[in-house]
Amino acid sequence: MMETFPAKVNTETSSPPQSSSSSSRVTVASIQVNLLFLRSLTGILTILEIVLGLLVWALIAGSWYTASPAFGWVMFVSILLWILTIFLFGIYLTDTQEKVSAVPWTLTIMSFNVAATVLYITAFIANAASVKYSVSWHDYNNKAAAAFFACLTMIAYGASAILSFLNWRGSGSNAATSQATGNNPA
């Protein structure tokens, strides 16, 4: 009976095959993080949008913005898009777009980036048109700097919109997947 045991059961241990992307994924608290996304153009633009958006609303929040309704609009746009961009960043970073295939990610991401670009155009114009010298240089400088950073944020979202459009128009692959892995057809 014992002579047939090795023929029936393999007692060798082996490690799972190493894939080429194993170094680009890290598991943190049972959540897999895609590090390759951080080095992709989409990842860099998303981080830039988060940082610049934070600067816009922080500079406006640090001034007396309630005196003009235009600054209320800038605050609304910058905070809303900042929160949504952080949410989208989390989706990219955890590869949720690969796990939730029911969502048309290509169209969703392109629509978000186009809408964000248009909203930031209006916020930039409202901000720049409403910057006036006030009693405090601090308020003036904050609002002028916020207009500058709103323009940069608008450009970053515009670049993301173009990249998303090219991916949507491209090979028919999932834009979020191809952008997050760096396989951009553009």
Side-chain angles (χ1 to χ4, degrees):
M1 177 90 177
M2 285 302 285
E3 54 273 350
T4 61
F5 177 72
K8 291 182 181 178
V9 178
N10 184 0
T11 59
E12 293 179 15
T13 60
S14 64
S15 60
Q18 296 293 325
S19 66
S20 62
S21 65
S22 65
S23 64
S24 67
R25 298 193 192 280
V26 175
T27 303
V28 178
S30 76
I31 298 173
Q32 205 172 50
V33 178
N34 182 1
L35 297 179
L36 188 60
F37 165 70
L38 296 175
R39 289 180 264 152
S40 69
L41 184 56
T42 302
I44 293 167
L45 283 171
T46 305
I47 292 168
L48 191 62
E49 293 159 1
I50 291 170
V51 170
L52 293 172
L54 173 66
L55 285 171
V56 171
W57 71 257
L59 285 165
I60 294 293
S63 65
W64 188 49
Y65 66 90
T66 56
S68 174
F71 294 117
W73 173 249
V74 175
M75 285 290 286
F76 171 75
V77 168
S78 59
I79 291 174
L80 174 69
L81 292 176
W82 184 72
I83 290 169
L84 291 175
T85 304
I86 289 174
F87 180 70
L88 186 62
F89 181 76
I91 288 173
Y92 277 136
L93 199 59
T94 59
D95 282 337
T96 302
Q97 74 278 2
E98 292 178 4
K99 298 170 189 143
V100 183
S101 60
V103 176
W105 288 105
T106 311
L107 185 61
T108 302
I109 291 167
M110 183 185 69
S111 300
F112 171 75
N113 286 321
V114 168
T117 303
V118 170
L119 287 172
Y120 254 106
I121 289 171
T122 65
F124 163 66
I125 292 170
N127 190 350
S130 299
V131 174
K132 295 179 180 78
Y133 176 73
S134 61
V135 178
S136 165
W137 275 100
H138 177 73
D139 268 4
Y140 175 79
N141 289 340
N142 277 6
K143 291 173 183 173
F148 172 75
F149 287 117
C151 181
L152 292 180
T153 309
M154 172 192 67
I155 292 168
Y157 277 112
S160 289
I162 291 168
L163 183 62
S164 297
F165 174 75
L166 292 174
N167 279 299
W168 173 74
R169 200 174 130 225
S171 64
S173 66
N174 187 331
T177 305
S178 63
Q179 288 177 2
T181 59
N183 299 330
N184 294 344

